[in-house]
C-alpha cells in the first residue's frame, strides 16, 4: 500500500486535533509538536528565551504560549486548526522587526515563518516563501 505524503500529514493533523484540549490544564502543545514536521518551542525549553524575543527589547516581557517554526504550508494549517479549536490567539511572525510589537503576544501561538524562506524559480514566475 502506498500513502501520499498529504495523507500522512492529514492523519497526523487529525491526531493532533483529536487531542486539543484533552490534556488537563489547557491545550496539548505536546501533541501539536508531534503533529508538525517543524519545531515547536515551549516555555521551559532551552531555546524559548531566544524564540520569544523580537528585535525590539521593549517587547521582551511578552510570553507566547508556544513558538512554532512550520516546515511547510501543511504545518501552518495544522497550527491554525489547533489554535482555532483550542481558542488560542495566533500571531504570524516574519523578521520580528515590527516597531509596534505586532509579531508577538502573551499567551499566543506565534507562527514564525522564518523557516519557510525558500525561493524557487517556476517557469516565468518565482515562488517566495512566507518568511
Ligand atoms: C532597525 C529597524 C529599521 C527599520 N527600517 C525600516 C525602513 O527603512 N522602512 C520600512 O518600511 N520599515 C522599516 N522598519 C520596520 C520594519 O521593516 C517593518 O516593520 C517590517 O514590516 C518588519 O518586517 P518583519 O518581517 O520583521 O515583520 P514582523 O515584525 O515579523 O511582523 C509585522 C506584522 O506582520 C505580521 N506578519 C508577519 N509575517 C506574516 C505572514 N507571513 N503572514 C501574515 N502576517 C504576517 C505580523 O503578525 C505583524 O503584525 C525598520 C525596523 C527596524 C527595527
Amino acid at each position: 500500500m502506498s500513502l501520499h505524503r498529504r495523507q500522512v500529514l492529514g492523519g497526523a493533523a487529525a491526531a493532533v486535533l483529536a487531542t486539543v484540549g484533552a490534556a488537563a490544564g489547557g491545550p496539548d502543545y505536546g501533541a501539536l509538536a508531534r503533529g508538525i514536521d517543524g519545531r515547536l518551542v515551549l516555555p521551559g525549553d532551552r531555546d524559548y528565551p531566544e524564540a520569544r524575543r523580537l528585535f525590539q527589547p521593549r517587547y521582551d516581557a511578552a510570553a507566547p504560549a508556544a513558538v512554532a517554526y512550520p516546515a511547510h504550508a501543511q504545518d501552518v494549517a495544522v497550527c491554525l486548526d489547533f489554535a482555532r479549536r483550542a481558542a488560542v490567539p495566533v500571531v504570524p511572525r516574519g523578521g520580528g522587526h515590527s516597531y509596534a510589537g505586532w509579531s508577538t503576544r502573551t499567551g499566543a501561538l506565534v507562527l514564525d515563518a522564518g523557516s519557510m524562506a525558500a525561493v524557487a524559480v517556476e517557469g516565468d514566475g518565482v515562488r517566495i516563501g512566507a518568511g
Side-chain angles (χ1 to χ4, degrees), residues 54-56 91-99 101-104 111 113 130-131:
L54 299 187
F55 179 86
Q56 304 275 358
V91 179
R93 187 170 76 191
H97 286 84
S98 165
Y99 277 119
W102 292 122
S103 39
T104 190
L111 298 187

Side-chain angles (χ1 to χ4, degrees), residues 5-98:
R5 179 177 170 78
R6 283 183 184 277
Q7 290 173 288
V8 176
L9 291 170
V16 169
L17 297 178
T19 59
V20 168
D28 187 352
Y29 285 102
L32 177 59
R34 291 188 295 277
I36 61 175
D37 289 332
R39 290 184 64 216
L40 189 73
V41 178
L42 300 171
D45 289 350
R46 205 166 83 173
D47 294 339
Y48 180 78
E50 179 67 29
R52 77 173 186 170
R53 198 173 297 150
L54 299 187
F55 179 86
Q56 304 275 358
R58 68 192 293 193
Y59 303 112
D60 281 358
V67 179
Y69 297 88
H72 40 63
Q74 180 64 28
D75 275 0
V76 175
V78 171
C79 287
L80 293 179
D81 275 346
F82 178 92
R84 180 172 54 84
R85 290 170 189 256
V88 173
V90 174
V91 179
R93 187 170 76 191
H97 286 84
S98 165

Side-chain angles (χ1 to χ4, degrees), residues 101-131:
W102 292 122
S103 39
T104 190
R105 178 174 165 181
T106 293
L109 172 59
V110 171
L111 298 187
D112 188 309
S115 51
M116 299 172 63
V119 177
V121 176
E122 295 180 0
D124 291 338
V126 65
R127 182 182 292 269
I128 300 173

